[in-house]
Amino acid sequence: MMRGKVLQHDIPDLSIELCERLLKDLERAKRPVIEATKCSLDNALYDFKVGFLTPGKKKIKTELNVASVKKMSRAVFMLEILLRNISTGAVNTKRELYYISKGEVKHNAFMKPIDFADQDESDSIIDFICEILECYREELNCYANDRGGQTYSQQLVVEESLSDGTRAVIDLSQLGTSPFQPKNRPQNLTLKARKKIDYCLIVESEGTANTLVANGYTKRHNCILVGAQGVPSNAVRGWLRRIQDQLQVPLYFFGDLDAYTMQNIYRTLKAGSAASLIRNSDYSAPEVRFLGVLPEDIKKYDLNDYPVKENDAQEVRALKKAKDALQNDPFFRDKRNKGLADILRWLLENKRRCEQQAFFTVNPRDPTMPEKIIVEKIKNGIYV
């Protein structure tokens, strides 16, 4: 099991301990071994009470040999760059770290054998370091260029703790039609409500979220409305976790009815991902409910749905993954997520899909009809 969340002030000591152990093994003519948490579905555990995927006991062991010498050397090389950033307070994106490493090699020909051919190679080493130390990338002062979902509310006030010790206060009711978009580290944000907030609506399509706001949704309802931008980034997931924990309001996800949405978007939002096992505790929102589109909505509202295209490789692959998820994904196998697993089974059996925008067909002359349906479903508990 994990030893607990590793914070930035722990990283230098853990890194020195790691490197000293590698050096001692080399001095004793012993092959050094590096252990890292295995971040994959076959090492993912799910407990409904916890609410997100956590790592099991499996480790990836990398022993020094001809095949692994480059990987281990690159890990120590990149770790030195990251530790330098921690000591100076500098921050970088993965892309910038790739070029910093190229610069190091450029000025020291001795480093040429471990040069990165492309960014994918350096990205994988950064992830490897995180899995070794069991720390978040952000604790290494490495930030992805992702943003939290576009957020609208007439009631939400956000207070941000800045690096210089000062605080910035953002009142979302004063932003007009411009959304608030938290970046990188939602854990620096403190949330307050000007008046009681009833719920948070997470809309898969950013365009549809914008449409709902433009048509007055947040003015008629004391809520938070977030555009999730498809597959949720770490920033989106961290932001929604912040809303869940600090405001303790119900969260509802409104998105397409298809296998890709259920697995790659909704499950990742609710329980995290297998690739991010060491960070799901802060980057998942276990209390979010699936509002729709639900299978029964198609008949109830006479929605336009359509068959999965047999010649569409992406759709066929999503259905194949859905079948595998029902057998191997601990999230969908948990009996308390039976309702969500049943949706996957429906998709596999019927091979049909329905988009969230289909609600606009219910009454094409009433621009607020999708809003009315969403509110009705929330009020009557029509969600999973």
Side-chain angles (χ1 to χ4, degrees), residues 364-384:
R365 298 193 175 186
D366 182 359
T368 65
M369 181 52 68
E371 171 189 336
K372 293 173 182 175
I373 294 172
I374 289 169
V375 172
E376 176 189 27
K377 284 167 65 68
I378 291 174
K379 180 180 178 181
N380 295 324
I382 306 172
Y383 48 76
V384 178

Side-chain angles (χ1 to χ4, degrees), residues 220-278:
R220 287 185 286 272
H221 307 283
N222 294 330
C223 69
I224 300 169
L225 196 151
V226 179
Q229 310 173 81
V231 177
S233 66
N234 285 326
V236 170
R237 289 154 55 193
W239 170 233
L240 292 173
R241 181 59 181 244
R242 206 67 175 161
I243 291 174
Q244 173 190 292
D245 290 352
Q246 290 207 349
L247 299 177
Q248 298 182 350
V249 298
L251 287 84
Y252 303 101
F253 176 82
F254 180 65
D256 295 348
L257 174 63
D258 61 38
Y260 185 84
T261 296
M262 290 300 300
Q263 299 169 92
N264 295 69
I265 300 177
Y266 177 69
R267 194 272 259 151
T268 300
L269 186 64
K270 184 176 177 68
S273 70
S276 300
L277 291 178
I278 61 176

Side-chain angles (χ1 to χ4, degrees), residues 2 36 44 75 79 145 164 167 178 180-181 272 290 348:
M2 290 179 65
L79 182 58
N145 188 28
D164 62 2
R167 293 178 178 270
S178 298
F180 172 69
Q181 219 163 356
F290 191 80
L348 282 167

